[in-house]
Amino acid sequence: MDNNFKNVFTPYKFKSKQIEIANRIVMPPMAIYIPGSKGYVEQRLIDYYEERAKSQPGMIIINATSINLTSARSHPNQTSLADDSFIDGMKKLVDMIHSYGVKTSVQLYHSGRQRYGMIAGGETMSPSGISDPVRKDPTREMKVEEIKILIQQFTDAAVRAKKAGFDGIELHCGHGYLLSGFLSPYQNRRTDEYGGSLFNRTRLVREIIASCRKAIGPEMLIGVRMNGSDYINGGNTLEDTKQIAKILVEHGAEIIHVTAGMAPSGHFTFLPADMPAGCNIYLAEGIKEAVGEDIPVIGAGAVEDIFQAEKILSETNLDFVAIGRPMFADPELLIKAREGRVKEIRPCLRCSKSAGVWPEDMRCTVNAAVGIEKEFAKNLTEIGPSKKLLVIGAGPAGLEAARVAAMKGHNVTLMDEREEIGGKMHLVRVRPDKQKLIDRWMKYYENEIERLNISLRLGEKANIEKVEEISPDLIIIATGGKPLVPRSIKGTDCEGVLFAEDIIAGKVHAGKNIAIIGGSSLGVEIADYLFDEDENRKIVVFEMMHDVLLDISHDAHLSLMDRFIKRDVKFLTSTEVFDIRKEGKGFNLKIKRYNQLDEINGFDTVVLACGVVPENSLGVELAEKFDNVIFVGDSQAPGDFRKAIHDSAKICMKL
C-alpha cells in the first residue's frame, strides 16, 4: 500500500453498531438508472456497481431510490423500493457488493417539486405548493394526512431495504428535494406543525427516522444526506444547518452526509469544473463541529482525486470523504492507489455530463466502458491476430484509439504534426479553472503511451508516402476539426474577423469592444477568457437560439454565467448576424432579431465561435488510395470530448 494514503485506508468502527467500514472512502449516489428498467435492478446496474465494488471503497450508497411510483420519482427509470417486487433485484445487488467486503446503504428519496411530472408520472407535491423556478412543474401543498402516508412509505421502503440485506439507509434531505424542502425556509412556508420554526421544519425528518428505526430495529444504520447550505437567499445557511444536524442526531440520525445547493443553485450541488475543488468541504467541517466526535460525518463536493481525499482526512476532523465522479471515471481508482499505480488512474474532468439522467443512458466522457462494463471487458480479452495500426492525430479521439488498440495487443503508431499531444484539449486548458483537470488528462495519456509501448511520432506530418512506408493494416483518422465559417454571414473574410480558436492559441489578439458570434460554450468561454485578459473590455455575444450555453448542463450554465455578474457583457439571443461590414477601423453588424432587422455598430473586433467542421482532407486523400481508413472524433463529425472518446473506444475495442 502507498503510505501516502494512510488516512484513506484507515478502518472505522461505529460505536453503536456491529459495523466496521474498511476505509474512509464513500462512493455516493450518482443517479445511475437504466433506460426501460422501470426502477428494477437489472444486470447492467449490477455490472456497473461490481466494477466499483472491486475497488473496495468503505461504503457504497446506492442511487436515490424512490419510495413510491407516483409523486416520489424524478424520472421513470429511477431505482425504487416502492413495493416488495423490487426486493429481489436489490438483494442481488447487495449480495454482490458484500462479496467484495464492502458495506452498502440505499438512499431513500422523494423528489418533491424538483421533477418533471409529465415524464415521471404522478402528481407533483411540495411543502408549500410553490413551483420550483428551474423545473417549473405545477405543484400543490401536501396535506397533513398525505405527510402521514409519506412517513409510512419511507418506513415500508426501509423495511424492504432490510430484507434486501442493506447495512443501512440514507434519507435524502438535500438538493432541494422533498425532505430538503421541508427543512428549508426557502421552500417551506407552512404555518402548521411542519413549518415555521427551525425545529418544526425538522419534524417530518424526525418522524421518518423514528418510524424507520421502530420498523427495522437497531442493527441498520440510519444516515441523513443534508445540505450544509442551500446557497439561496432565504434558504438555510451553515449556521442553520448546524442546528438542524444537531436536532436530527438527537432524534436518531447516526451518520451525516453533507452536500449543498438546490435546483436554482445547482452548481453548488453538481460542481462543474468552474467551481473550486472541494469548495463544500468547509460545510461538512462545520457540521462535524456541531454534532461532535461520536457522529461520523461524510464530506462531499468536487473531491477530484485520492490525493485530495487524503489531504482532507489528514487536515480536517471529517470521518469520511465521498468520491463519486472519479470512481465513475475510473472504477479501479482505489486498487491503483493501494498498489502505487496512481499514474494509471484515469482522471475525471468534472464535465457535468455524466451519470444517467433520463432520457439518456448512463455515460462518462472519459470512460466509454460505463454502462457496458461486461461487454467492454469481454471485447478487450478477445484478442485475435496482432495488427499494425496507424493513428493520425493525437487529440482526444486519436489518443483513446491508440490506448484501446494497444490494450488489445495491437502494434500502434500515433502520429501528429504538432510537437505535443492533446489536440483541442489545449483550447480548453487555457481556462484557469480547467487547466489542472486537462493537464491531468493529458498526463494520463502520456503515461499510457509509455506503459502500452505506443510508438509516438510528434512533429511529423502524415502523408501518403509515410503511410506507405509504415504499411498499416488499419489507418485511423483523428485529425479533428477546423472552425466553421457560416455561409449565411457576409463579411467573414474581413481583416479583423478572428476565430476563437486562434485567440486561445495566442495567434491573434482582440481589441476592447468585441462582438462574438456564437453563444455555445465556445463563444461564452472565449468571452470569459477575454475578460480574464482585460476586465475593461465590452463584449456582446450573439446567438441564434433562444438561449446561450445550450450545449452544456444546467449547473455548468449557472456556474459559468455567474462569472459575468460584474462584467460588461450582453447576450443577444434569438439573434442572427447576417452581415459584417468594416467601416474604417471598426465593424458594423447587421442582425435579424425576432424577425426584425437592425444594425449594431462600434466593434473593433469580431470573433467567430460558430463551432467546427471536420478537418479530414488528409483522410479523404488516404481513403481514395487505401481501403482500410476509419474516421473518428471531429474528423468524422463535430462533437464534444465524449463523442471523441466513445467513437474511438467502441471501434478499437472490437478490432
Side-chain angles (χ1 to χ4, degrees):
M1 183 189 300
D2 191 324
N3 292 327
N4 291 329
F5 307 122
K6 62 180 181 180
N7 290 287
V8 162
F9 293 116
T10 297
Y12 183 95
K13 186 170 184 178
F14 285 86
K15 294 181 179 179
S16 60
K17 293 282 185 291
Q18 295 301 311
I19 296 176
E20 183 170 336
I21 297 179
N23 58 67
R24 304 305 181 94
I25 299 301
V26 173
M27 179 177 160
M30 287 183 286
I32 308 303
Y33 311 122
I34 307 297
S37 67
K38 299 181 180 179
Y40 290 93
V41 171
E42 295 188 350
Q43 188 59 45
R44 280 183 62 214
L45 188 66
I46 294 173
D47 294 343
Y48 162 82
Y49 274 111
E50 183 170 15
E51 285 303 300
R52 280 106 195 133
K54 289 176 183 177
S55 208
Q56 295 181 307
M59 176 178 283
I60 293 175
I61 304 175
I62 302 303
N63 311 325
T65 295
S66 70
I67 49 92
N68 69 45
L69 297 178
T70 52
S71 61
R73 298 193 300 181
S74 296
H75 53 82
N77 302 311
Q78 186 169 22
T79 48
S80 183
L81 279 170
D83 60 52
D84 288 355
S85 66
F86 294 95
I87 295 174
D88 286 347
M90 283 291 191
K91 188 175 188 310
K92 291 177 183 177
L93 178 58
V94 171
D95 289 347
M96 179 278 296
I97 292 172
H98 281 166
S99 73
Y100 291 96
V102 179
K103 302 300 182 186
T104 181
S105 291
V106 60
Q107 188 180 78
L108 302 183
Y109 164 93
H110 190 295
S111 61
R113 72 183 196 175
Q114 290 184 183
R115 68 198 297 266
Y116 298 104
M118 291 181 64
I119 295 169
E123 188 176 23
T124 297
M125 295 190 288
S126 59
S128 301
I130 304 167
S131 291
D132 178 69
V134 175
R135 309 290 168 81
K136 301 178 181 178
D137 208 57
T139 182
R140 67 168 178 82
E141 179 175 302
M142 292 188 73
K143 301 173 183 177
V144 171
E145 52 267 33
E146 291 172 325
I147 291 175
K148 301 303 182 185
I149 292 171
L150 179 81
I151 293 168
Q152 189 59 51
Q153 289 175 337
F154 270 98
T155 304
D156 292 342
V159 171
R160 294 180 188 114
K162 181 177 181 179
K163 291 179 179 178
F166 281 101
D167 301 291
I169 60 169
E170 179 178 86
L171 304 178
H172 198 340
C173 303
H175 300 169
Y177 299 116
L178 186 71
L179 301 186
S180 175
F182 269 91
L183 293 174
S184 176
Y186 174 71
Q187 287 195 38
N188 189 344
R189 315 287 173 83
R190 299 176 73 96
T191 57
D192 61 8
E193 66 267 35
Y194 290 98
S197 69
L198 184 146
F199 187 75
N200 275 358
R201 296 199 309 272
T202 67
R203 186 179 303 277
L204 174 55
V205 181
R206 288 188 281 116
E207 290 181 349
I208 291 172
I209 292 172
S211 181
C212 288
R213 177 56 73 205
K214 182 178 179 181
I216 64 178
E219 294 84 9
M220 293 176 70
L221 287 168
I222 296 181
V224 169
R225 191 176 207 197
M226 60 174 286
N227 281 356
S229 172
D230 294 338
Y231 286 115
I232 289 176
N233 290 334
N236 284 321
T237 65
L238 177 57
E239 291 309 307
D240 299 319
T241 62
K242 285 180 180 180
Q243 297 305 310
I244 290 170
K246 288 173 69 175
I247 291 169
L248 297 182
V249 165
E250 288 167 1
H251 288 80
E254 297 170 302
I255 185 167
I256 305 293
H257 187 176
V258 182
T259 183
M262 295 183 171
S265 55
H267 47 316
F268 288 95
T269 299
F270 297 101
L271 297 166
D274 289 324
M275 304 294 288
C279 61
N280 287 336
I281 292 297
Y282 82 98
L283 299 172
E285 290 185 80
I287 286 178
K288 176 65 178 178
E289 181 182 359
V291 299
E293 182 180 348
D294 291 343
I295 301 299
V297 172
I298 306 169
V303 179
E304 293 179 342
D305 58 34
I306 192 72
F307 295 99
Q308 188 184 0
E310 176 66 23
K311 183 177 173 65
I312 290 168
L313 290 168
S314 66
E315 296 181 357
T316 73
N317 54 2
L318 298 180
D319 304 279
F320 296 96
V321 172
I323 293 185
R325 288 175 290 181
M327 287 196 67
F328 200 68
D330 193 337
E332 296 182 294
L333 185 151
L334 294 180
I335 295 173
K336 293 172 180 176
R338 286 187 188 94
E339 296 177 357
R341 297 188 290 126
V342 291
K343 288 183 177 181
E344 295 177 34
I345 295 174
R346 181 194 295 111
C348 170
L349 297 184
R350 290 175 55 202
C351 63
S352 203
K353 292 184 177 182
S354 61
V357 178
W358 192 94
E360 290 197 59
D361 203 342
M362 65 168 100
R363 74 277 186 203
C364 173
T365 291
V366 299
N367 182 3
V370 169
I372 55 169
E373 282 82 4
K374 284 289 193 288
E375 177 190 349
F376 203 95
K378 181 174 180 289
N379 277 298
L380 285 183
T381 56
E382 290 181 347
I383 298 174
S386 178
K387 297 178 181 178
K388 185 186 292 186
L389 267 68
L390 172 62
V391 181
I392 302 175
L399 289 167
E400 184 69 0
R403 186 187 76 88
V404 176
M407 286 176 67
K408 292 206 66 171
H410 298 299
N411 183 348
V412 181
T413 297
L414 177 61
M415 184 180 293
D416 197 302
E417 64 182 351
R418 289 159 291 196
E419 296 291 343
E420 56 185 343
I421 67 168
K424 69 177 181 181
M425 293 181 187
H426 293 282
L427 298 180
V428 179
R429 70 178 299 277
V430 295
R431 291 279 305 279
D433 51 301
K434 294 183 179 180
Q435 182 175 345
K436 179 175 66 174
L437 297 168
I438 296 297
D439 283 352
R440 284 179 187 161
W441 198 27
M442 289 197 292
K443 188 65 177 176
Y444 163 75
Y445 276 115
E446 288 175 3
N447 291 325
E448 289 294 276
I449 287 168
E450 181 179 353
R451 183 177 73 87
L452 296 168
N453 295 316
I454 295 167
S455 175
L456 181 62
R457 294 165 64 166
L458 295 175
E460 190 170 347
K461 186 176 178 62
N463 54 38
I464 289 178
E465 290 73 23
K466 289 184 179 179
V467 172
E468 288 178 331
E469 176 189 328
I470 295 171
S471 187
D473 299 308
L474 183 67
I475 305 165
I476 295 179
I477 304 297
T479 46
K482 58 185 177 182
L484 169 65
V485 181
R487 294 180 180 178
S488 59
I489 302 176
K490 296 180 180 178
T492 55
D493 56 349
C494 290
E495 183 180 355
V497 176
L498 311 177
F499 291 116
E501 293 86 345
D502 289 339
I503 293 174
I504 291 172
K507 296 178 180 179
V508 293
H509 298 280
K512 292 284 188 181
N513 299 304
I514 303 166
I516 297 176
I517 302 176
S520 68
S521 56
L522 175 62
V524 178
E525 287 188 353
I526 193 65
D528 183 42
Y529 173 74
L530 290 169
F531 277 124
D532 282 344
E533 276 191 341
D534 183 351
E535 63 182 13
N536 296 314
R537 282 175 159 137
K538 296 181 179 181
I539 297 178
V540 180
V541 178
F542 297 87
E543 171 55 46
M544 294 175 60
M545 303 296 286
H546 68 280
D547 199 2
V548 296
L549 297 175
L550 293 176
D551 59 327
I552 63 176
S553 65
H554 167 69
D555 49 285
H557 183 291
L558 286 173
S559 63
L560 183 51
M561 293 301 286
D562 269 358
R563 300 167 73 90
F564 295 102
I565 290 174
K566 295 182 179 180
R567 291 170 164 177
D568 193 347
V569 61
K570 293 180 181 178
F571 296 96
L572 295 185
T573 57
S574 302
T575 302
E576 179 184 358
V577 177
F578 63 88
D579 196 359
I580 302 168
R581 292 195 177 183
K582 189 81 175 285
E583 300 288 344
K585 294 184 178 180
F587 291 94
N588 301 334
L589 270 60
K590 290 191 174 183
I591 64 171
K592 184 184 291 185
R593 181 169 166 79
Y594 299 117
N595 215 30
Q596 300 295 312
L597 298 179
D598 206 344
E599 185 169 323
I600 301 180
N601 304 326
F603 300 106
D604 57 35
T605 305
V606 177
V607 179
L608 297 181
C610 304
V612 301
V613 292
E615 174 54 274
N616 55 15
S617 55
L618 173 62
V620 170
E621 183 182 0
L622 292 173
E624 291 176 352
K625 185 173 181 61
F626 305 100
D627 59 3
N628 56 348
V629 177
I630 296 176
F631 294 84
V632 295
D634 283 350
S635 69
Q636 185 267 330
D640 57 10
F641 283 152
R642 189 174 76 198
K643 176 188 178 296
I645 296 299
H646 287 227
D647 278 0
S648 296
K650 289 179 180 178
I651 287 171
C652 291
M653 75 177 183
K654 294 181 179 179
L655 291 176

